[in-house]
């Protein structure tokens, strides 16, 4: 059972426009959410996170929105750049002390076209 | 900052060989390290969590005698795939987390293991 779902396997956006990547989760115990970016043949790179006590976190061009009632979060990239083309993973975790672990979505492949 | 180095990046070996993969945090102390496996077109699957100086906690269905994990220092964890067989061929990736459990995990670049 997929607890973290990224329903769009791919997304194509024009350079300069906004990219919106979506993520849904089912476990109401999740209290910490992260977005990672992954290029081929490399490990995921941490982008931005949000705690469940917030509904928005912003870092430069990246903003993550959390809607707890809908169990939904999204990553906005504005403006999108060709270098943003990568696979984006949503991950979530619940409090478990030192054994807090991440549950991953399947990823969304973003292509930003020049 | 927060660089994790994983070595080797690719291994090709014969069935029955044991393979050791190293994961190092280069510029921070990793209280906790994680080992994942990824199959094609699937998400990262957590295999085990290890805290420095203690035994690893394995996920359900992961054979601890098959996948030996050692986390002897705050900067190094190793995964040894013992007596590897073709079905163990996969992409293995480690991550490391400093301090508080709400810190993000930082990943190595993974190891592509191919067992002939």
């Amino acid at each position: 059972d997929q607890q973290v779902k990224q329903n769009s396997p791919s997304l194509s956006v024009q350079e300069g426009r906004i990219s919106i990547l979506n993520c849904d989760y089912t476990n109401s115990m999740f209290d910490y959410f992260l977005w990672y970016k992954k290029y081929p043949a490399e490990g995921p790179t941490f982008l931005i996170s949000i705690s469940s006590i917030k509904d928005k976190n912003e870092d430069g061009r990246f903003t993550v929105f959390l809607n707890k009632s809908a169990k939904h979060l999204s990553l906005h990239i504005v403006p999108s750049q060709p270098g943003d083309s990568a696979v984006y993973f949503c991950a979530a975790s619940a409090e478990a002390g030192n054994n807090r672990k991440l549950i991953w979505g399947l990823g969304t492949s973003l292509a930003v076209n020049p | 900052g927060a660089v994790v180095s994983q070595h080797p990046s690719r291994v090709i070996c014969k069935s029955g060989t044991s393979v050791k993969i190293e994961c190092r945090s280069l510029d921070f102390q990793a209280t906790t390290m994680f080992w994942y496996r990824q199959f094609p077109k699937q998400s990262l699957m957590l295999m085990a969590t290890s805290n420095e100086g203690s035994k690893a906690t394995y996920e359900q269905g992961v054979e601890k005698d098959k996948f030996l994990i050692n986390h002897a220092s705050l900067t190094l964890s190793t995964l040894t795939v013992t007596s590897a067989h073709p079905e163990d061929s996969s992409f293995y990736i480690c991550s490391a987390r400093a301090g508080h459990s709400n810190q993000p995990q930082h990943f190595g670049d993974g190891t592509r293991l191919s067992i002939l």
Side-chain angles (χ1 to χ4, degrees):
Chain A
D1 179 36
Q2 195 76 16
Q3 295 186 64
V4 177
K5 299 175 186 177
Q6 293 177 257
N7 291 319
S8 298
S10 63
L11 175 68
S12 184
V13 169
Q14 207 64 30
E15 180 179 7
R17 307 294 287 268
I18 184 171
S19 295
I20 300 177
L21 298 118
N22 293 304
C23 179
D24 297 291
Y25 61 96
T26 58
N27 188 342
S28 58
M29 299 302 292
F30 288 147
D31 63 355
Y32 183 53
F33 305 88
L34 308 90
W35 284 95
Y36 282 82
K37 171 182 177 180
K38 186 180 183 301
Y39 294 116
E42 293 184 12
T45 301
F46 170 70
L47 271 179
I48 192 168
S49 64
I50 188 166
S51 162
S52 61
I53 62 173
K54 295 186 174 182
D55 54 19
K56 177 183 174 181
N57 189 25
E58 191 172 352
D59 183 1
R61 297 186 297 115
F62 302 92
T63 303
V64 55
F65 294 93
L66 175 63
N67 182 335
K68 281 182 294 186
S69 60
K71 293 193 178 69
H72 176 84
L73 64 155
S74 60
L75 174 68
H76 292 211
I77 306 174
V78 181
S80 302
Q81 300 172 354
D84 295 329
S85 298
V87 178
Y88 289 78
F89 290 94
C90 170
S93 71
E95 176 56 51
N98 274 342
N99 287 334
R100 178 186 280 271
K101 58 188 181 185
L102 296 179
I103 309 299
W104 296 80
L106 291 177
T108 296
S109 179
L110 173 66
V112 179
N113 306 307
Chain B
V3 177
V4 175
S5 172
Q6 187 172 339
H7 178 80
S9 59
R10 185 169 179 91
V11 180
I12 301 172
C13 57
K14 294 181 180 179
S15 185
T17 307
S18 291
V19 178
K20 180 185 279 189
I21 303 169
E22 290 190 352
C23 181
R24 294 180 184 271
S25 56
L26 297 185
D27 52 0
F28 68 102
Q29 293 189 322
T31 310
T32 309
M33 286 186 166
F34 303 84
W35 287 94
Y36 293 85
R37 184 173 180 176
Q38 186 176 28
F39 294 102
K41 299 190 188 302
Q42 295 191 21
S43 63
L44 293 172
M45 184 193 79
L46 180 66
M47 298 174 66
T49 302
S50 73
N51 293 299
E52 184 264 339
S54 58
K55 288 185 179 179
T57 302
Y58 288 81
E59 295 300 300
Q60 194 172 9
V62 178
E63 298 175 60
K64 59 183 67 177
D65 295 330
K66 174 77 170 175
F67 300 100
L68 301 178
I69 291 170
N70 184 282
H71 189 169
S73 77
L74 283 171
T75 59
L76 173 64
S77 177
T78 60
L79 168 68
T80 301
V81 183
T82 61
S83 187
H85 289 96
E87 60 266 27
D88 299 322
S89 299
S90 191
F91 186 67
Y92 294 86
I93 191 164
C94 73
S95 70
R97 185 181 69 202
H100 195 278
S101 63
N102 265 354
Q103 294 295 314
Q105 295 177 27
H106 299 283
F107 285 80
D109 283 341
T111 297
R112 173 69 59 192
L113 177 61
S114 300
I115 308 299
L116 305 177

